[in-house]
Amino acid sequence: YAPGGAGTLPGFEQARLWWYQWFQTLDAGAGAVARDPIGFARLQWDTWSPAGWYEVAEFAATAEAFAEPDFVPTTLHYYRVRWGASPRDPGYDQLEEKLAQVTDLSVPTLLIHGGSDSCIAPEQTEGLAGLFGAGYRRVVVPGAGHFVPREAPGTVADLILDQLRSG
């Protein structure tokens, strides 16, 4: 969660993990993603979580979506706008202004983070309780990486049910 929707420059270690975001802001990087979106996605799947979290056939089935015509432009647009390499759509200015006013979330919040996430380091979600006005619970799932619902579905389901029951 980023108060006011402001994406701030991360520290060096998190920046190293987010290499792919800045790679896409470069015209040459965007071109490389456009030429091989499946290879680009496969690299992320292979590095964001511990080995063995998915089957090769599962990736192949999912990769069909990466070949859809909207996949590359949508993906590139998100990261290029996020880091200032492309202009924001002025049609969203009103929503951006509204988002900028939000400093904390006023709903009970459960954050589930993979203890072996090598895309967003677990320490990035430490110490955020003050940003959540109606209760905040952070659970780090040992051994899970970036795709916690896929890697530990039973644990995630139990945590969500506990959250709903306590609400």
Side-chain angles (χ1 to χ4, degrees), residues 3-71:
T8 58
L9 188 66
F12 293 138
E13 284 303 310
Q14 184 58 50
R16 180 178 59 84
L17 298 177
W18 279 353
W19 70 268
Y20 65 95
Q21 294 189 18
W22 290 296
F23 182 76
Q24 293 176 88
T25 67
L26 302 171
D27 291 340
V33 172
R35 282 188 301 279
D36 188 9
I38 294 172
F40 186 67
R42 178 70 181 255
L43 178 64
Q44 292 162 357
W45 278 43
D46 286 345
T47 59
W48 288 352
S49 293
W53 74 271
Y54 69 92
E55 300 292 328
V56 172
E58 179 183 12
F59 180 83
T62 305
E64 291 176 19
F66 306 151
E68 290 294 322
D70 289 344
F71 177 76

Side-chain angles (χ1 to χ4, degrees), residues 13 17-19 24 29 32 40 44 60 76 79-80 85 94 107 113-114 118 123-124 137 141 148 159-161:
E13 284 303 310
L17 298 177
W18 279 353
W19 70 268
Q24 293 176 88
F40 186 67
Q44 292 162 357
L76 292 173
Y79 292 111
R80 290 175 68 83
Q94 215 172 3
V107 296
H113 201 132
S118 55
E123 49 276 2
Q124 293 296 309
R137 181 175 169 212
V141 179
V148 185
L159 288 167
I160 291 171
L161 288 172

